[in-house]
Amino acid sequence: MSNRHLARSLALQSLYEWDFHALDQDKAIEIMERNLSEFAPEMDERPFALSLVKGVLKNKEGIDAAIGHFAPDWPIERITTVDRNVLRMGIYELVFDQEIPSKVAINEAIELAKTFGGESSGKFVNGVLGAVYRDQQAKGIAKPADKPKESPDAPVDSPPPLEKSEE
């Protein structure tokens, strides 16, 4: 398991505990810090995990509105606690975090849903996040992280054509 995947797993578990107990937002950060200390004390991605939880909390109102818009048949309170928080993290990374490629955000959210959610959680999360992604594309919103990177080994100009040698 990569450090970022572990960080996302701990962030999800922290948000789940915070949401399940309907605690104040400050408590979510305390829960995240406790979980990091207890389960990943030497993990390199501590700042990433904390920024993920803080980002979800800071943008929760807009994220929840997006969930309501892209999953209109599922009022936010009817979505399971796991799926709701996987969607919150996925939408945060997809829409608000400009450094995470969109496909990475979607794939990571699907994996978390499959691991921690129910039988159809992966499909549900994929459907909602796919709709958010398509909406972003339709509006012409492109993240810097989604732009193709130039390979440092790629030639700048095409090489000259090879000549046939006559033997």
mmCIF file with all atom_site columns, all heavy atoms in Angstrom, residues 1 5 8-9 12 82-83 86 89-90 103-118 121-123 125-126 129:
data_model
loop_
_atom_site.group_PDB
_atom_site.id
_atom_site.type_symbol
_atom_site.label_atom_id
_atom_site.label_alt_id
_atom_site.label_comp_id
_atom_site.label_asym_id
_atom_site.label_entity_id
_atom_site.label_seq_id
_atom_site.pdbx_PDB_ins_code
_atom_site.Cartn_x
_atom_site.Cartn_y
_atom_site.Cartn_z
_atom_site.occupancy
_atom_site.B_iso_or_equiv
_atom_site.pdbx_formal_charge
_atom_site.auth_seq_id
_atom_site.auth_comp_id
_atom_site.auth_asym_id
_atom_site.auth_atom_id
_atom_site.pdbx_PDB_model_num
ATOM 1   N N   . MET A 1 1   ? 0.855   -1.181 0.000   1.00 0.00 ? 1   MET A N   1
ATOM 2   C CA  . MET A 1 1   ? 0.000   0.000  0.000   1.00 0.00 ? 1   MET A CA  1
ATOM 3   C C   . MET A 1 1   ? 0.896   1.238  0.000   1.00 0.00 ? 1   MET A C   1
ATOM 4   O O   . MET A 1 1   ? 1.804   1.346  0.801   1.00 0.00 ? 1   MET A O   1
ATOM 5   C CB  . MET A 1 1   ? -0.890  -0.024 1.249   1.00 0.00 ? 1   MET A CB  1
ATOM 6   C CG  . MET A 1 1   ? -1.797  1.157  1.380   1.00 0.00 ? 1   MET A CG  1
ATOM 7   S SD  . MET A 1 1   ? -2.812  1.232  2.878   1.00 0.00 ? 1   MET A SD  1
ATOM 8   C CE  . MET A 1 1   ? -3.763  -0.243 2.770   1.00 0.00 ? 1   MET A CE  1
ATOM 9   N N   . HIS A 1 5   ? -2.034  6.237  -0.369  1.00 0.00 ? 5   HIS A N   1
ATOM 10  C CA  . HIS A 1 5   ? -3.242  5.425  -0.185  1.00 0.00 ? 5   HIS A CA  1
ATOM 11  C C   . HIS A 1 5   ? -3.500  5.219  1.311   1.00 0.00 ? 5   HIS A C   1
ATOM 12  O O   . HIS A 1 5   ? -4.651  5.311  1.760   1.00 0.00 ? 5   HIS A O   1
ATOM 13  C CB  . HIS A 1 5   ? -3.110  4.083  -0.917  1.00 0.00 ? 5   HIS A CB  1
ATOM 14  C CG  . HIS A 1 5   ? -4.373  3.292  -0.880  1.00 0.00 ? 5   HIS A CG  1
ATOM 15  N ND1 . HIS A 1 5   ? -5.470  3.598  -1.663  1.00 0.00 ? 5   HIS A ND1 1
ATOM 16  C CD2 . HIS A 1 5   ? -4.735  2.214  -0.136  1.00 0.00 ? 5   HIS A CD2 1
ATOM 17  C CE1 . HIS A 1 5   ? -6.450  2.748  -1.400  1.00 0.00 ? 5   HIS A CE1 1
ATOM 18  N NE2 . HIS A 1 5   ? -6.027  1.899  -0.484  1.00 0.00 ? 5   HIS A NE2 1
ATOM 19  N N   . ARG A 1 8   ? -4.928  8.391  2.673   1.00 0.00 ? 8   ARG A N   1
ATOM 20  C CA  . ARG A 1 8   ? -6.351  8.517  2.329   1.00 0.00 ? 8   ARG A CA  1
ATOM 21  C C   . ARG A 1 8   ? -7.206  7.580  3.186   1.00 0.00 ? 8   ARG A C   1
ATOM 22  O O   . ARG A 1 8   ? -8.296  7.948  3.613   1.00 0.00 ? 8   ARG A O   1
ATOM 23  C CB  . ARG A 1 8   ? -6.570  8.212  0.848   1.00 0.00 ? 8   ARG A CB  1
ATOM 24  C CG  . ARG A 1 8   ? -6.101  9.307  -0.086  1.00 0.00 ? 8   ARG A CG  1
ATOM 25  C CD  . ARG A 1 8   ? -6.386  8.963  -1.545  1.00 0.00 ? 8   ARG A CD  1
ATOM 26  N NE  . ARG A 1 8   ? -5.960  10.019 -2.441  1.00 0.00 ? 8   ARG A NE  1
ATOM 27  C CZ  . ARG A 1 8   ? -4.791  10.034 -3.070  1.00 0.00 ? 8   ARG A CZ  1
ATOM 28  N NH1 . ARG A 1 8   ? -3.931  9.044  -2.916  1.00 0.00 ? 8   ARG A NH1 1
ATOM 29  N NH2 . ARG A 1 8   ? -4.489  11.032 -3.873  1.00 0.00 ? 8   ARG A NH2 1
ATOM 30  N N   . SER A 1 9   ? -6.723  6.387  3.435   1.00 0.00 ? 9   SER A N   1
ATOM 31  C CA  . SER A 1 9   ? -7.462  5.437  4.275   1.00 0.00 ? 9   SER A CA  1
ATOM 32  C C   . SER A 1 9   ? -7.642  5.987  5.687   1.00 0.00 ? 9   SER A C   1
ATOM 33  O O   . SER A 1 9   ? -8.734  5.912  6.257   1.00 0.00 ? 9   SER A O   1
ATOM 34  C CB  . SER A 1 9   ? -6.734  4.093  4.336   1.00 0.00 ? 9   SER A CB  1
ATOM 35  O OG  . SER A 1 9   ? -6.704  3.484  3.079   1.00 0.00 ? 9   SER A OG  1
ATOM 36  N N   . LEU A 1 12  ? -10.107 8.886  5.597   1.00 0.00 ? 12  LEU A N   1
ATOM 37  C CA  . LEU A 1 12  ? -11.481 8.390  5.506   1.00 0.00 ? 12  LEU A CA  1
ATOM 38  C C   . LEU A 1 12  ? -11.972 7.884  6.863   1.00 0.00 ? 12  LEU A C   1
ATOM 39  O O   . LEU A 1 12  ? -13.082 8.206  7.284   1.00 0.00 ? 12  LEU A O   1
ATOM 40  C CB  . LEU A 1 12  ? -11.592 7.279  4.463   1.00 0.00 ? 12  LEU A CB  1
ATOM 41  C CG  . LEU A 1 12  ? -12.962 6.590  4.393   1.00 0.00 ? 12  LEU A CG  1
ATOM 42  C CD1 . LEU A 1 12  ? -14.064 7.584  4.036   1.00 0.00 ? 12  LEU A CD1 1
ATOM 43  C CD2 . LEU A 1 12  ? -12.930 5.430  3.413   1.00 0.00 ? 12  LEU A CD2 1
ATOM 44  N N   . VAL A 1 82  ? -19.869 5.835  5.165   1.00 0.00 ? 82  VAL A N   1
ATOM 45  C CA  . VAL A 1 82  ? -18.639 5.543  4.408   1.00 0.00 ? 82  VAL A CA  1
ATOM 46  C C   . VAL A 1 82  ? -18.720 6.180  3.028   1.00 0.00 ? 82  VAL A C   1
ATOM 47  O O   . VAL A 1 82  ? -17.819 6.935  2.625   1.00 0.00 ? 82  VAL A O   1
ATOM 48  C CB  . VAL A 1 82  ? -18.390 4.020  4.288   1.00 0.00 ? 82  VAL A CB  1
ATOM 49  C CG1 . VAL A 1 82  ? -17.283 3.732  3.282   1.00 0.00 ? 82  VAL A CG1 1
ATOM 50  C CG2 . VAL A 1 82  ? -18.051 3.420  5.627   1.00 0.00 ? 82  VAL A CG2 1
ATOM 51  N N   . ASP A 1 83  ? -19.777 5.892  2.280   1.00 0.00 ? 83  ASP A N   1
ATOM 52  C CA  . ASP A 1 83  ? -19.898 6.414  0.922   1.00 0.00 ? 83  ASP A CA  1
ATOM 53  C C   . ASP A 1 83  ? -19.921 7.941  0.910   1.00 0.00 ? 83  ASP A C   1
ATOM 54  O O   . ASP A 1 83  ? -19.309 8.571  0.039   1.00 0.00 ? 83  ASP A O   1
ATOM 55  C CB  . ASP A 1 83  ? -21.148 5.871  0.239   1.00 0.00 ? 83  ASP A CB  1
ATOM 56  C CG  . ASP A 1 83  ? -21.067 4.380  -0.056  1.00 0.00 ? 83  ASP A CG  1
ATOM 57  O OD1 . ASP A 1 83  ? -20.004 3.769  0.176   1.00 0.00 ? 83  ASP A OD1 1
ATOM 58  O OD2 . ASP A 1 83  ? -22.091 3.812  -0.508  1.00 0.00 ? 83  ASP A OD2 1
ATOM 59  N N   . VAL A 1 86  ? -16.320 9.070  1.447   1.00 0.00 ? 86  VAL A N   1
ATOM 60  C CA  . VAL A 1 86  ? -15.506 8.760  0.262   1.00 0.00 ? 86  VAL A CA  1
ATOM 61  C C   . VAL A 1 86  ? -15.816 9.786  -0.823  1.00 0.00 ? 86  VAL A C   1
ATOM 62  O O   . VAL A 1 86  ? -14.901 10.322 -1.466  1.00 0.00 ? 86  VAL A O   1
ATOM 63  C CB  . VAL A 1 86  ? -15.762 7.323  -0.244  1.00 0.00 ? 86  VAL A CB  1
ATOM 64  C CG1 . VAL A 1 86  ? -15.149 7.124  -1.622  1.00 0.00 ? 86  VAL A CG1 1
ATOM 65  C CG2 . VAL A 1 86  ? -15.212 6.292  0.726   1.00 0.00 ? 86  VAL A CG2 1
ATOM 66  N N   . MET A 1 89  ? -14.228 13.153 0.041   1.00 0.00 ? 89  MET A N   1
ATOM 67  C CA  . MET A 1 89  ? -12.795 13.169 -0.249  1.00 0.00 ? 89  MET A CA  1
ATOM 68  C C   . MET A 1 89  ? -12.549 13.186 -1.758  1.00 0.00 ? 89  MET A C   1
ATOM 69  O O   . MET A 1 89  ? -11.697 13.942 -2.241  1.00 0.00 ? 89  MET A O   1
ATOM 70  C CB  . MET A 1 89  ? -12.118 11.947 0.388   1.00 0.00 ? 89  MET A CB  1
ATOM 71  C CG  . MET A 1 89  ? -12.001 12.040 1.887   1.00 0.00 ? 89  MET A CG  1
ATOM 72  S SD  . MET A 1 89  ? -11.371 10.528 2.669   1.00 0.00 ? 89  MET A SD  1
ATOM 73  C CE  . MET A 1 89  ? -9.957  10.126 1.683   1.00 0.00 ? 89  MET A CE  1
ATOM 74  N N   . GLY A 1 90  ? -13.294 12.383 -2.497  1.00 0.00 ? 90  GLY A N   1
ATOM 75  C CA  . GLY A 1 90  ? -13.119 12.329 -3.946  1.00 0.00 ? 90  GLY A CA  1
ATOM 76  C C   . GLY A 1 90  ? -13.429 13.654 -4.620  1.00 0.00 ? 90  GLY A C   1
ATOM 77  O O   . GLY A 1 90  ? -12.679 14.112 -5.488  1.00 0.00 ? 90  GLY A O   1
ATOM 78  N N   . LYS A 1 103 ? -8.012  11.601 -12.607 1.00 0.00 ? 103 LYS A N   1
ATOM 79  C CA  . LYS A 1 103 ? -8.164  10.145 -12.681 1.00 0.00 ? 103 LYS A CA  1
ATOM 80  C C   . LYS A 1 103 ? -7.627  9.466  -11.425 1.00 0.00 ? 103 LYS A C   1
ATOM 81  O O   . LYS A 1 103 ? -8.180  8.455  -10.986 1.00 0.00 ? 103 LYS A O   1
ATOM 82  C CB  . LYS A 1 103 ? -7.510  9.605  -13.946 1.00 0.00 ? 103 LYS A CB  1
ATOM 83  C CG  . LYS A 1 103 ? -8.292  10.048 -15.173 1.00 0.00 ? 103 LYS A CG  1
ATOM 84  C CD  . LYS A 1 103 ? -7.755  9.509  -16.454 1.00 0.00 ? 103 LYS A CD  1
ATOM 85  C CE  . LYS A 1 103 ? -8.633  10.054 -17.581 1.00 0.00 ? 103 LYS A CE  1
ATOM 86  N NZ  . LYS A 1 103 ? -8.313  9.547  -18.869 1.00 0.00 ? 103 LYS A NZ  1
ATOM 87  N N   . VAL A 1 104 ? -6.589  10.028 -10.828 1.00 0.00 ? 104 VAL A N   1
ATOM 88  C CA  . VAL A 1 104 ? -6.067  9.486  -9.570  1.00 0.00 ? 104 VAL A CA  1
ATOM 89  C C   . VAL A 1 104 ? -7.105  9.670  -8.472  1.00 0.00 ? 104 VAL A C   1
ATOM 90  O O   . VAL A 1 104 ? -7.391  8.746  -7.705  1.00 0.00 ? 104 VAL A O   1
ATOM 91  C CB  . VAL A 1 104 ? -4.728  10.157 -9.179  1.00 0.00 ? 104 VAL A CB  1
ATOM 92  C CG1 . VAL A 1 104 ? -4.302  9.766  -7.766  1.00 0.00 ? 104 VAL A CG1 1
ATOM 93  C CG2 . VAL A 1 104 ? -3.636  9.811  -10.183 1.00 0.00 ? 104 VAL A CG2 1
ATOM 94  N N   . ALA A 1 105 ? -7.702  10.861 -8.407  1.00 0.00 ? 105 ALA A N   1
ATOM 95  C CA  . ALA A 1 105 ? -8.725  11.137 -7.385  1.00 0.00 ? 105 ALA A CA  1
ATOM 96  C C   . ALA A 1 105 ? -9.894  10.163 -7.516  1.00 0.00 ? 105 ALA A C   1
ATOM 97  O O   . ALA A 1 105 ? -10.360 9.605  -6.515  1.00 0.00 ? 105 ALA A O   1
ATOM 98  C CB  . ALA A 1 105 ? -9.220  12.585 -7.515  1.00 0.00 ? 105 ALA A CB  1
ATOM 99  N N   . ILE A 1 106 ? -10.350 9.939  -8.735  1.00 0.00 ? 106 ILE A N   1
ATOM 100 C CA  . ILE A 1 106 ? -11.487 9.035  -8.962  1.00 0.00 ? 106 ILE A CA  1
ATOM 101 C C   . ILE A 1 106 ? -11.108 7.601  -8.613  1.00 0.00 ? 106 ILE A C   1
ATOM 102 O O   . ILE A 1 106 ? -11.832 6.919  -7.880  1.00 0.00 ? 106 ILE A O   1
ATOM 103 C CB  . ILE A 1 106 ? -11.991 9.145  -10.418 1.00 0.00 ? 106 ILE A CB  1
ATOM 104 C CG1 . ILE A 1 106 ? -12.599 10.536 -10.666 1.00 0.00 ? 106 ILE A CG1 1
ATOM 105 C CG2 . ILE A 1 106 ? -13.007 8.053  -10.721 1.00 0.00 ? 106 ILE A CG2 1
ATOM 106 C CD1 . ILE A 1 106 ? -12.875 10.851 -12.122 1.00 0.00 ? 106 ILE A CD1 1
ATOM 107 N N   . ASN A 1 107 ? -9.966  7.135  -9.113  1.00 0.00 ? 107 ASN A N   1
ATOM 108 C CA  . ASN A 1 107 ? -9.551  5.755  -8.855  1.00 0.00 ? 107 ASN A CA  1
ATOM 109 C C   . ASN A 1 107 ? -9.321  5.486  -7.375  1.00 0.00 ? 107 ASN A C   1
ATOM 110 O O   . ASN A 1 107 ? -9.705  4.434  -6.866  1.00 0.00 ? 107 ASN A O   1
ATOM 111 C CB  . ASN A 1 107 ? -8.298  5.409  -9.665  1.00 0.00 ? 107 ASN A CB  1
ATOM 112 C CG  . ASN A 1 107 ? -8.589  5.275  -11.140 1.00 0.00 ? 107 ASN A CG  1
ATOM 113 O OD1 . ASN A 1 107 ? -9.717  5.013  -11.544 1.00 0.00 ? 107 ASN A OD1 1
ATOM 114 N ND2 . ASN A 1 107 ? -7.578  5.464  -11.964 1.00 0.00 ? 107 ASN A ND2 1
ATOM 115 N N   . GLU A 1 108 ? -8.698  6.417  -6.684  1.00 0.00 ? 108 GLU A N   1
ATOM 116 C CA  . GLU A 1 108 ? -8.458  6.239  -5.245  1.00 0.00 ? 108 GLU A CA  1
ATOM 117 C C   . GLU A 1 108 ? -9.780  6.182  -4.477  1.00 0.00 ? 108 GLU A C   1
ATOM 118 O O   . GLU A 1 108 ? -9.945  5.368  -3.568  1.00 0.00 ? 108 GLU A O   1
ATOM 119 C CB  . GLU A 1 108 ? -7.564  7.355  -4.695  1.00 0.00 ? 108 GLU A CB  1
ATOM 120 C CG  . GLU A 1 108 ? -6.109  7.212  -5.062  1.00 0.00 ? 108 GLU A CG  1
ATOM 121 C CD  . GLU A 1 108 ? -5.413  6.052  -4.361  1.00 0.00 ? 108 GLU A CD  1
ATOM 122 O OE1 . GLU A 1 108 ? -5.777  5.719  -3.212  1.00 0.00 ? 108 GLU A OE1 1
ATOM 123 O OE2 . GLU A 1 108 ? -4.485  5.483  -4.958  1.00 0.00 ? 108 GLU A OE2 1
ATOM 124 N N   . ALA A 1 109 ? -10.715 7.032  -4.846  1.00 0.00 ? 109 ALA A N   1
ATOM 125 C CA  . ALA A 1 109 ? -12.023 7.031  -4.178  1.00 0.00 ? 109 ALA A CA  1
ATOM 126 C C   . ALA A 1 109 ? -12.751 5.707  -4.419  1.00 0.00 ? 109 ALA A C   1
ATOM 127 O O   . ALA A 1 109 ? -13.349 5.147  -3.495  1.00 0.00 ? 109 ALA A O   1
ATOM 128 C CB  . ALA A 1 109 ? -12.870 8.213  -4.661  1.00 0.00 ? 109 ALA A CB  1
ATOM 129 N N   . ILE A 1 110 ? -12.680 5.205  -5.633  1.00 0.00 ? 110 ILE A N   1
ATOM 130 C CA  . ILE A 1 110 ? -13.328 3.924  -5.941  1.00 0.00 ? 110 ILE A CA  1
ATOM 131 C C   . ILE A 1 110 ? -12.706 2.808  -5.107  1.00 0.00 ? 110 ILE A C   1
ATOM 132 O O   . ILE A 1 110 ? -13.417 1.966  -4.543  1.00 0.00 ? 110 ILE A O   1
ATOM 133 C CB  . ILE A 1 110 ? -13.245 3.617  -7.452  1.00 0.00 ? 110 ILE A CB  1
ATOM 134 C CG1 . ILE A 1 110 ? -14.103 4.604  -8.246  1.00 0.00 ? 110 ILE A CG1 1
ATOM 135 C CG2 . ILE A 1 110 ? -13.678 2.179  -7.737  1.00 0.00 ? 110 ILE A CG2 1
ATOM 136 C CD1 . ILE A 1 110 ? -13.846 4.579  -9.747  1.00 0.00 ? 110 ILE A CD1 1
ATOM 137 N N   . GLU A 1 111 ? -11.392 2.800  -5.010  1.00 0.00 ? 111 GLU A N   1
ATOM 138 C CA  . GLU A 1 111 ? -10.712 1.762  -4.216  1.00 0.00 ? 111 GLU A CA  1
ATOM 139 C C   . GLU A 1 111 ? -11.099 1.844  -2.745  1.00 0.00 ? 111 GLU A C   1
ATOM 140 O O   . GLU A 1 111 ? -11.311 0.823  -2.092  1.00 0.00 ? 111 GLU A O   1
ATOM 141 C CB  . GLU A 1 111 ? -9.196  1.855  -4.392  1.00 0.00 ? 111 GLU A CB  1
ATOM 142 C CG  . GLU A 1 111 ? -8.711  1.395  -5.751  1.00 0.00 ? 111 GLU A CG  1
ATOM 143 C CD  . GLU A 1 111 ? -9.181  -0.015 -6.116  1.00 0.00 ? 111 GLU A CD  1
ATOM 144 O OE1 . GLU A 1 111 ? -9.033  -0.934 -5.279  1.00 0.00 ? 111 GLU A OE1 1
ATOM 145 O OE2 . GLU A 1 111 ? -9.709  -0.196 -7.225  1.00 0.00 ? 111 GLU A OE2 1
ATOM 146 N N   . LEU A 1 112 ? -11.180 3.051  -2.208  1.00 0.00 ? 112 LEU A N   1
ATOM 147 C CA  . LEU A 1 112 ? -11.601 3.215  -0.806  1.00 0.00 ? 112 LEU A CA  1
ATOM 148 C C   . LEU A 1 112 ? -13.032 2.728  -0.623  1.00 0.00 ? 112 LEU A C   1
ATOM 149 O O   . LEU A 1 112 ? -13.348 2.064  0.369   1.00 0.00 ? 112 LEU A O   1
ATOM 150 C CB  . LEU A 1 112 ? -11.483 4.679  -0.369  1.00 0.00 ? 112 LEU A CB  1
ATOM 151 C CG  . LEU A 1 112 ? -10.072 5.215  -0.177  1.00 0.00 ? 112 LEU A CG  1
ATOM 152 C CD1 . LEU A 1 112 ? -10.107 6.722  0.040   1.00 0.00 ? 112 LEU A CD1 1
ATOM 153 C CD2 . LEU A 1 112 ? -9.366  4.519  0.979   1.00 0.00 ? 112 LEU A CD2 1
ATOM 154 N N   . ALA A 1 113 ? -13.896 3.045  -1.577  1.00 0.00 ? 113 ALA A N   1
ATOM 155 C CA  . ALA A 1 113 ? -15.300 2.610  -1.495  1.00 0.00 ? 113 ALA A CA  1
ATOM 156 C C   . ALA A 1 113 ? -15.393 1.091  -1.527  1.00 0.00 ? 113 ALA A C   1
ATOM 157 O O   . ALA A 1 113 ? -16.161 0.493  -0.767  1.00 0.00 ? 113 ALA A O   1
ATOM 158 C CB  . ALA A 1 113 ? -16.117 3.225  -2.636  1.00 0.00 ? 113 ALA A CB  1
ATOM 159 N N   . LYS A 1 114 ? -14.622 0.458  -2.397  1.00 0.00 ? 114 LYS A N   1
ATOM 160 C CA  . LYS A 1 114 ? -14.629 -1.004 -2.469  1.00 0.00 ? 114 LYS A CA  1
ATOM 161 C C   . LYS A 1 114 ? -14.101 -1.630 -1.183  1.00 0.00 ? 114 LYS A C   1
ATOM 162 O O   . LYS A 1 114 ? -14.604 -2.671 -0.753  1.00 0.00 ? 114 LYS A O   1
ATOM 163 C CB  . LYS A 1 114 ? -13.776 -1.480 -3.644  1.00 0.00 ? 114 LYS A CB  1
ATOM 164 C CG  . LYS A 1 114 ? -14.388 -1.235 -5.006  1.00 0.00 ? 114 LYS A CG  1
ATOM 165 C CD  . LYS A 1 114 ? -13.421 -1.711 -6.083  1.00 0.00 ? 114 LYS A CD  1
ATOM 166 C CE  . LYS A 1 114 ? -13.945 -1.513 -7.471  1.00 0.00 ? 114 LYS A CE  1
ATOM 167 N NZ  . LYS A 1 114 ? -12.942 -1.944 -8.478  1.00 0.00 ? 114 LYS A NZ  1
ATOM 168 N N   . THR A 1 115 ? -13.079 -1.006 -0.587  1.00 0.00 ? 115 THR A N   1
ATOM 169 C CA  . THR A 1 115 ? -12.457 -1.556 0.623   1.00 0.00 ? 115 THR A CA  1
ATOM 170 C C   . THR A 1 115 ? -13.333 -1.369 1.848   1.00 0.00 ? 115 THR A C   1
ATOM 171 O O   . THR A 1 115 ? -13.510 -2.299 2.639   1.00 0.00 ? 115 THR A O   1
ATOM 172 C CB  . THR A 1 115 ? -11.082 -0.891 0.864   1.00 0.00 ? 115 THR A CB  1
ATOM 173 O OG1 . THR A 1 115 ? -10.251 -1.134 -0.275  1.00 0.00 ? 115 THR A OG1 1
ATOM 174 C CG2 . THR A 1 115 ? -10.417 -1.450 2.108   1.00 0.00 ? 115 THR A CG2 1
ATOM 175 N N   . PHE A 1 116 ? -13.889 -0.177 2.015   1.00 0.00 ? 116 PHE A N   1
ATOM 176 C CA  . PHE A 1 116 ? -14.589 0.155  3.256   1.00 0.00 ? 116 PHE A CA  1
ATOM 177 C C   . PHE A 1 116 ? -16.105 0.171  3.134   1.00 0.00 ? 116 PHE A C   1
ATOM 178 O O   . PHE A 1 116 ? -16.811 0.156  4.140   1.00 0.00 ? 116 PHE A O   1
ATOM 179 C CB  . PHE A 1 116 ? -14.109 1.514  3.792   1.00 0.00 ? 116 PHE A CB  1
ATOM 180 C CG  . PHE A 1 116 ? -12.671 1.525  4.201   1.00 0.00 ? 116 PHE A CG  1
ATOM 181 C CD1 . PHE A 1 116 ? -11.693 2.083  3.385   1.00 0.00 ? 116 PHE A CD1 1
ATOM 182 C CD2 . PHE A 1 116 ? -12.277 0.979  5.418   1.00 0.00 ? 116 PHE A CD2 1
ATOM 183 C CE1 . PHE A 1 116 ? -10.366 2.094  3.761   1.00 0.00 ? 116 PHE A CE1 1
ATOM 184 C CE2 . PHE A 1 116 ? -10.950 0.984  5.799   1.00 0.00 ? 116 PHE A CE2 1
ATOM 185 C CZ  . PHE A 1 116 ? -9.990  1.541  4.968   1.00 0.00 ? 116 PHE A CZ  1
ATOM 186 N N   . GLY A 1 117 ? -16.625 0.247  1.915   1.00 0.00 ? 117 GLY A N   1
ATOM 187 C CA  . GLY A 1 117 ? -18.064 0.380  1.726   1.00 0.00 ? 117 GLY A CA  1
ATOM 188 C C   . GLY A 1 117 ? -18.750 -0.937 1.463   1.00 0.00 ? 117 GLY A C   1
ATOM 189 O O   . GLY A 1 117 ? -18.188 -2.022 1.661   1.00 0.00 ? 117 GLY A O   1
ATOM 190 N N   . GLY A 1 118 ? -19.973 -0.835 1.002   1.00 0.00 ? 118 GLY A N   1
ATOM 191 C CA  . GLY A 1 118 ? -20.790 -2.011 0.721   1.00 0.00 ? 118 GLY A CA  1
ATOM 192 C C   . GLY A 1 118 ? -20.554 -2.554 -0.678  1.00 0.00 ? 118 GLY A C   1
ATOM 193 O O   . GLY A 1 118 ? -19.677 -2.085 -1.414  1.00 0.00 ? 118 GLY A O   1
ATOM 194 N N   . SER A 1 121 ? -20.870 0.096  -3.418  1.00 0.00 ? 121 SER A N   1
ATOM 195 C CA  . SER A 1 121 ? -20.243 1.395  -3.140  1.00 0.00 ? 121 SER A CA  1
ATOM 196 C C   . SER A 1 121 ? -19.307 1.862  -4.248  1.00 0.00 ? 121 SER A C   1
ATOM 197 O O   . SER A 1 121 ? -19.313 3.036  -4.625  1.00 0.00 ? 121 SER A O   1
ATOM 198 C CB  . SER A 1 121 ? -19.478 1.347  -1.810  1.00 0.00 ? 121 SER A CB  1
ATOM 199 O OG  . SER A 1 121 ? -20.370 1.190  -0.744  1.00 0.00 ? 121 SER A OG  1
ATOM 200 N N   . GLY A 1 122 ? -18.489 0.948  -4.770  1.00 0.00 ? 122 GLY A N   1
ATOM 201 C CA  . GLY A 1 122 ? -17.555 1.325  -5.826  1.00 0.00 ? 122 GLY A CA  1
ATOM 202 C C   . GLY A 1 122 ? -18.265 1.869  -7.055  1.00 0.00 ? 122 GLY A C   1
ATOM 203 O O   . GLY A 1 122 ? -17.860 2.893  -7.617  1.00 0.00 ? 122 GLY A O   1
ATOM 204 N N   . LYS A 1 123 ? -19.344 1.212  -7.456  1.00 0.00 ? 123 LYS A N   1
ATOM 205 C CA  . LYS A 1 123 ? -20.109 1.658  -8.627  1.00 0.00 ? 123 LYS A CA  1
ATOM 206 C C   . LYS A 1 123 ? -20.787 3.001  -8.362  1.00 0.00 ? 123 LYS A C   1
ATOM 207 O O   . LYS A 1 123 ? -20.827 3.870  -9.229  1.00 0.00 ? 123 LYS A O   1
ATOM 208 C CB  . LYS A 1 123 ? -21.146 0.609  -9.005  1.00 0.00 ? 123 LYS A CB  1
ATOM 209 C CG  . LYS A 1 123 ? -20.546 -0.648 -9.579  1.00 0.00 ? 123 LYS A CG  1
ATOM 210 C CD  . LYS A 1 123 ? -21.610 -1.671 -9.887  1.00 0.00 ? 123 LYS A CD  1
ATOM 211 C CE  . LYS A 1 123 ? -20.953 -2.959 -10.376 1.00 0.00 ? 123 LYS A CE  1
ATOM 212 N NZ  . LYS A 1 123 ? -21.922 -4.007 -10.620 1.00 0.00 ? 123 LYS A NZ  1
ATOM 213 N N   . VAL A 1 125 ? -19.868 5.391  -6.179  1.00 0.00 ? 125 VAL A N   1
ATOM 214 C CA  . VAL A 1 125 ? -18.842 6.437  -6.133  1.00 0.00 ? 125 VAL A CA  1
ATOM 215 C C   . VAL A 1 125 ? -18.341 6.739  -7.548  1.00 0.00 ? 125 VAL A C   1
ATOM 216 O O   . VAL A 1 125 ? -18.190 7.903  -7.927  1.00 0.00 ? 125 VAL A O   1
ATOM 217 C CB  . VAL A 1 125 ? -17.696 6.026  -5.182  1.00 0.00 ? 125 VAL A CB  1
ATOM 218 C CG1 . VAL A 1 125 ? -16.477 6.920  -5.352  1.00 0.00 ? 125 VAL A CG1 1
ATOM 219 C CG2 . VAL A 1 125 ? -18.181 6.055  -3.733  1.00 0.00 ? 125 VAL A CG2 1
ATOM 220 N N   . ASN A 1 126 ? -18.115 5.697  -8.337  1.00 0.00 ? 126 ASN A N   1
ATOM 221 C CA  . ASN A 1 126 ? -17.672 5.887  -9.714  1.00 0.00 ? 126 ASN A CA  1
ATOM 222 C C   . ASN A 1 126 ? -18.685 6.705  -10.500 1.00 0.00 ? 126 ASN A C   1
ATOM 223 O O   . ASN A 1 126 ? -18.309 7.631  -11.239 1.00 0.00 ? 126 ASN A O   1
ATOM 224 C CB  . ASN A 1 126 ? -17.434 4.529  -10.384 1.00 0.00 ? 126 ASN A CB  1
ATOM 225 C CG  . ASN A 1 126 ? -16.866 4.648  -11.770 1.00 0.00 ? 126 ASN A CG  1
ATOM 226 O OD1 . ASN A 1 126 ? -16.100 5.555  -12.064 1.00 0.00 ? 126 ASN A OD1 1
ATOM 227 N ND2 . ASN A 1 126 ? -17.244 3.730  -12.639 1.00 0.00 ? 126 ASN A ND2 1
ATOM 228 N N   . LEU A 1 129 ? -18.661 10.497 -9.088  1.00 0.00 ? 129 LEU A N   1
ATOM 229 C CA  . LEU A 1 129 ? -17.429 11.214 -9.425  1.00 0.00 ? 129 LEU A CA  1
ATOM 230 C C   . LEU A 1 129 ? -17.245 11.331 -10.934 1.00 0.00 ? 129 LEU A C   1
ATOM 231 O O   . LEU A 1 129 ? -16.727 12.345 -11.417 1.00 0.00 ? 129 LEU A O   1
ATOM 232 C CB  . LEU A 1 129 ? -16.221 10.538 -8.781  1.00 0.00 ? 129 LEU A CB  1
ATOM 233 C CG  . LEU A 1 129 ? -16.185 10.588 -7.251  1.00 0.00 ? 129 LEU A CG  1
ATOM 234 C CD1 . LEU A 1 129 ? -14.912 9.941  -6.735  1.00 0.00 ? 129 LEU A CD1 1
ATOM 235 C CD2 . LEU A 1 129 ? -16.325 12.004 -6.717  1.00 0.00 ? 129 LEU A CD2 1
#
